[in-house]
Amino acid sequence: MSIRVKICGLSTPETMAAALEAGADWIGLVRFPKSPRHVDLDAARTLSAQARGRAERVVLLVDPDDAALDAALEAIDPDLIQLHGVETPERVAAIRRRAGRPVMKALGVASRADLDRISAFAAADRLLLDAKPPSGAVLPGGNGRPFDWTLLDGADLPSGWMLSGGLDPLSVAAALARTGATAVDVSSGVESAPGVKDPDRIAAFVRAARAAG
């Protein structure tokens, strides 16, 4: 089974090219000003055009209002919307209706009880299981922290779920073997500094993930 890979938080044409050349299935553009990976709408438009037809384009939004959603849709024309805030199931469904395209909801995991929320998000086309941010963290994701993968043992996970949280080229094979995930998402694990993607690490991550599959 081929493992699908998302490289999130791309912000320059050079690192976008590296992700595309490595064969990433999804590329992620972050629209969250507090993040070091945030891109403005003009840059996002250019990067999205660069990836068009070569990888699925994902825009990451955090609790967007309708105006922010509409602006991202117009500039990026994403293939998938990733919601990484505290959006309710009702809001996820409303965003999906308004956007008219698939939505992925990120859920933070720190305990088995966090998995009980999965069934509520049936409106989402995909679920991304990420490490719950530490107390006081500014970012809802991209903190370079894994969660305890044993929490997924015996869990009823929906088709197409994606694993995130603290993955890097050295850990992704073990993560895939332990969890049975068929799709992975990486951001800080392929950076040389916060928000600075490393082309060599991007290529190594994709190679490692595909080899593990």
Side-chain angles (χ1 to χ4, degrees), residues 1-154:
M1 179 183 296
S2 178
I3 302 299
R4 302 193 72 197
V5 178
K6 175 172 172 277
I7 307 294
C8 196
L10 294 160
S11 59
T12 68
E14 294 75 19
T15 54
M16 177 64 75
L20 296 171
E21 289 163 11
D25 299 284
W26 296 276
I27 60 86
L29 303 173
V30 174
R31 290 283 303 151
F32 184 56
K34 293 180 180 180
S35 170
R37 303 164 188 100
H38 172 74
V39 288
D40 64 33
L41 289 175
D42 286 340
R45 181 180 287 107
T46 299
L47 292 167
S48 178
Q50 183 180 352
R52 185 187 303 274
R54 299 185 63 188
E56 292 186 52
R57 297 158 300 157
V58 182
V59 61
L60 185 157
L61 303 172
V62 179
D63 301 308
D65 59 19
D66 287 348
L69 173 64
D70 292 347
L73 292 174
E74 190 281 326
I76 299 167
D77 186 28
D79 299 294
L80 181 70
I81 298 165
Q82 178 176 334
L83 299 174
H84 219 106
V86 294
E87 300 89 0
T88 64
E90 294 76 19
R91 181 59 179 156
V92 170
I95 287 173
R96 191 180 188 281
R97 286 193 302 271
R98 186 178 184 89
R101 61 198 76 198
V103 169
M104 176 164 66
K105 178 69 180 96
L107 294 180
V109 179
S111 69
R112 184 76 180 198
D114 293 318
L115 301 178
D116 294 340
R117 302 167 59 216
I118 287 176
S119 60
F121 287 96
D125 298 272
R126 283 181 175 272
L127 286 181
L128 174 71
L129 301 184
D130 195 3
K132 184 174 285 189
S135 178
V138 172
L139 302 180
N143 292 296
R145 294 164 55 97
F147 63 89
D148 180 0
W149 301 327
T150 65
L151 294 172
L152 303 182
D153 290 352

